[in-house]
Amino acid sequence: MLKGRSSGLLLPIFSLPGDYGIGTMGSGARQFIDFLAQARQHTWQILPLVPPGSGDSPYMSPSAFAGSPWLLDLEEFVQRGLLTREELDTARYPDPDRVDYNWLRENRPSLLHAAWRRDTDTAARAAFLKEQADWLPDHALFSAIHEKLNLPLDQWPDDIRRREPEAMARWSQDLADEVDYQVFLQYHFFRQWKDLKAYANQKGIAIMGDLPIYVSADSVEVWAQPQLFQMDEDFVPTAVAGVPPDAFSDVGQYWGNPLYDWAGHRAELFDWWTRRLRNAALLYDRLRIDHFRGFHTYWAIPASSSVAKDGRWEKGPGQALLDHFAKEVPQLELIAEDLGVLDDDVWQFIHNSGIPGMKILVFAFDPNGESSYLPHNCPRESVVYTGTHDTPTFVQWLFDEATPAERDFASDYLRLRADEGFGWGAICGAWMCPSALAIAPLQDVLGLGADARVNFPGTAGPLNWSWRVRAAALNPDVSGKLAHITRTYRRG
């Protein structure tokens, strides 16, 4: 249940400004929190904090519980004596506008290893390892083996892939230092995130996290608990995730994640999901669950096919899992990502859940119909967005993707003006609607176009998951205008 009437911005951590090739939990994050407070915003929505996987996507992560080491604040390591100022200078990257993940993979590990070698607080790491015993030991060993072999899980030697006791003992002993290094990374990630979240909360900013519904086939979860997934004995999925054609793609999307074996291991999966949400409750104030409809029915694509349209709908755990969440993790406020193809049964399932769904402005302006996404049709118990990380920015949609009729309708409805900036019209349209919470990607506040898009669904490449904002954009003129709009529409 969303309380009151408020607003916020969507910006991934990796998109924050800074000198070191990627946004981090450091000074750039605090600058953005200060900007949010000055703009009278009360929510910062981020993308998943997990390590990125295939295609550098945070939705294909090798871990459902770990934090991405790329987001660690290196300047704080200097303050702790774990890095020198000269070493920090080697981490500087000349392009402030894009994350280069290949550069990070080549240059960042040596710095992080140097910090680990100087960190003598082994007692703190040991205590953290004990506190996180339900996931961290497996994650640390999986990551160490992965680094050593440089191979995906399904190509590992049989004995360690199948976790045979002798192989587990041998690899754990041989890679003891690398396992400790992985624990070091997670200890400092969670410590830094706790401090950053406290800073945000003190400023009146709630953190909204984002939880991918699936994990990667090349993940510690598949290695440690393969029985939870629809896979054969060789760790090859028998069916994979995706979606049929929808507003995001005319041909559907082939994601390739392994699917959960709800029919065969229901109780174990309920327990695993409970642990996942309890972990999320430590990190966030509220949580958007990606592809929420997958709890009702999910699109299963046969492993023999690489075409999304070949899939079919299969039954998920339904309301029983949501009731379990409400009982086991009552403190965590959930948001349902309910976009895409929804038939009447799915719509009723989401409605009956009582969990607020999403309304997206760039999908609203069909000139011939009465869209449920039009601001005047948005229910109070919903979150309205100008756009998401998967959509075009509002300006990109308006000039590159909207039909002339859609553009005319949006311009009339939102009273768009070139002299004011088209992004501000979108902000006003979302902020004025009945939805209890309104969210805009920072790109729409800044009126940016296609170059600032975060992700192009169904594609892979250097333009996905890499856009970054410059510090100069987070200025008093922008925060002041957003504060004025927020006051006008009584959101803060």
Side-chain angles (χ1 to χ4, degrees):
M1 182 71 69
L2 294 169
K3 297 178 182 179
R5 182 171 167 80
S6 64
S7 58
L9 299 184
L10 165 60
L11 185 71
I13 302 292
F14 62 73
S15 292
L16 289 164
D19 296 329
Y20 307 109
I22 190 171
T24 73
M25 297 179 285
S27 58
R30 283 166 174 78
Q31 179 190 1
F32 185 64
I33 290 169
D34 293 343
F35 172 86
L36 288 170
Q38 292 157 8
R40 302 178 72 94
Q41 303 309 296
H42 293 288
T43 296
W44 178 11
Q45 182 176 342
I46 60 175
L47 295 188
L49 292 172
V50 291
S54 174
D56 302 314
S57 170
Y59 296 90
M60 287 293 276
S61 178
S63 175
F65 292 84
S68 171
W70 303 146
L71 307 181
L72 285 165
D73 177 15
L74 300 181
E75 290 179 329
E76 198 244 15
F77 280 0
V78 173
Q79 295 165 11
R80 285 178 164 260
L82 301 181
L83 290 175
T84 67
R85 183 61 59 180
E86 292 73 23
E87 288 170 329
L88 184 62
D89 286 341
T90 69
R92 295 181 184 276
Y93 186 70
D95 183 356
D97 300 321
R98 289 284 170 187
V99 180
D100 183 337
Y101 288 97
N102 287 330
W103 181 86
L104 284 174
R105 283 186 283 269
E106 292 171 4
N107 292 275
R108 193 54 49 86
S110 59
L111 274 180
L112 295 175
H113 273 90
W116 163 68
R117 284 190 292 269
R118 295 183 183 122
D119 188 357
T120 59
D121 195 355
T122 56
R125 293 206 296 277
F128 179 71
L129 181 62
K130 186 176 181 180
E131 290 169 5
Q132 307 296 329
D134 61 339
W135 68 270
L136 185 51
D138 279 326
H139 167 79
L141 182 56
F142 175 87
S143 300
I145 297 171
H146 213 286
E147 287 294 317
K148 177 70 174 178
L149 295 176
N150 195 28
L151 292 171
L153 174 61
D154 62 1
Q155 296 179 34
W156 286 13
D158 281 351
D159 56 354
I160 190 59
R161 179 161 50 95
R162 301 181 189 283
R163 296 171 63 92
E164 294 176 5
E166 207 172 284
M168 291 285 286
R170 183 177 70 255
W171 281 92
S172 296
Q173 181 177 353
D174 292 348
L175 295 179
D177 283 347
E178 187 64 19
V179 167
D180 184 58
Y181 165 69
Q182 296 294 335
V183 174
F184 159 86
L185 295 177
Q186 295 306 311
Y187 166 71
H188 284 288
F189 180 93
F190 278 75
R191 179 186 58 75
Q192 289 187 1
W193 179 256
K194 181 181 178 182
D195 289 346
L196 183 63
K197 182 177 180 295
Y199 184 82
N201 292 163
Q202 289 163 8
K203 296 271 187 174
I205 311 297
I207 303 292
M208 185 193 296
D210 193 326
L211 194 74
I213 192 170
Y214 295 122
V215 300
S216 169
D218 187 21
S219 69
V220 61
E221 281 73 34
V222 168
W223 181 56
Q225 295 179 278
Q227 73 278 8
L228 301 184
F229 303 92
Q230 297 180 32
M231 311 190 78
D232 65 21
E233 60 183 13
D234 294 319
F235 290 75
V236 176
T238 57
V240 297
V243 288
D246 60 16
F248 291 100
S249 173
D250 293 337
V251 297
Q253 297 177 50
Y254 181 98
W255 297 338
N257 310 75
L259 296 166
Y260 300 110
D261 185 7
W262 293 112
H265 293 86
R266 179 185 176 95
E268 286 178 90
L269 279 164
F270 273 45
D271 176 67
W272 182 80
W273 267 98
T274 298
R275 290 190 291 111
R276 205 176 173 198
L277 261 65
R278 284 176 179 161
N279 182 68
L282 299 175
L283 300 173
Y284 315 116
D285 300 297
R286 54 171 63 113
L287 183 69
R288 189 195 86 130
I289 298 183
D290 186 57
H291 197 56
F292 187 85
R293 68 134 316 134
F295 291 144
H296 177 270
T297 41
Y298 57 89
W299 191 249
I301 305 169
S304 58
S305 175
S306 60
V307 180
K309 67 179 180 62
D310 289 344
R312 65 179 186 180
W313 293 113
E314 299 283 356
K315 188 173 178 58
Q319 186 63 40
L321 182 62
L322 305 186
D323 292 342
H324 190 74
F325 291 166
K327 177 183 175 183
E328 298 295 332
V329 199
Q331 73 276 26
L332 188 59
E333 190 176 273
L334 299 179
I335 306 296
E337 187 273 284
D338 56 352
L339 309 177
V341 177
L342 302 181
D343 59 27
D344 289 343
D345 286 346
V346 178
W347 185 90
Q348 197 63 48
F349 163 73
I350 296 170
H351 177 75
N352 291 344
S353 75
I355 297 173
M358 298 171 58
K359 303 297 180 182
I360 312 298
L361 209 61
V362 295
F363 297 153
F365 296 104
D366 177 358
N368 301 312
E370 185 64 15
S371 170
S372 64
Y373 292 169
L374 280 168
H376 68 268
N377 287 330
C378 294
R380 186 199 175 280
E381 282 299 312
S382 67
V383 183
V384 63
Y385 289 79
T386 57
T388 75
H389 66 277
D390 277 335
T391 69
T393 70
F394 182 80
V395 169
Q396 178 192 2
W397 172 80
L398 187 68
F399 292 107
D400 297 347
E401 300 195 11
T403 66
E406 288 172 333
R407 187 180 308 117
D408 288 345
F409 182 29
S411 297
D412 286 345
Y413 189 102
L414 299 172
R415 315 309 297 169
L416 299 179
R417 292 167 40 194
D419 62 325
E420 179 183 62
F422 297 107
W424 289 117
I427 302 299
C428 290
W431 265 230
M432 73 170 62
C433 84
S435 299
L437 178 60
I439 299 284
L442 179 64
Q443 294 94 315
D444 287 347
V445 173
L446 300 177
L448 302 179
D451 288 348
R453 186 167 177 171
V454 169
N455 181 47
F456 296 78
T459 71
L463 295 183
N464 286 343
W465 320 112
S466 64
W467 177 79
R468 299 182 66 200
V469 66
R470 295 194 180 195
L474 306 177
N475 62 66
D477 288 342
V478 177
S479 63
K481 179 143 190 174
L482 184 55
H484 176 74
I485 291 171
T486 302
R487 283 195 303 270
T488 299
Y489 295 115
R490 303 299 190 262
R491 290 195 177 272

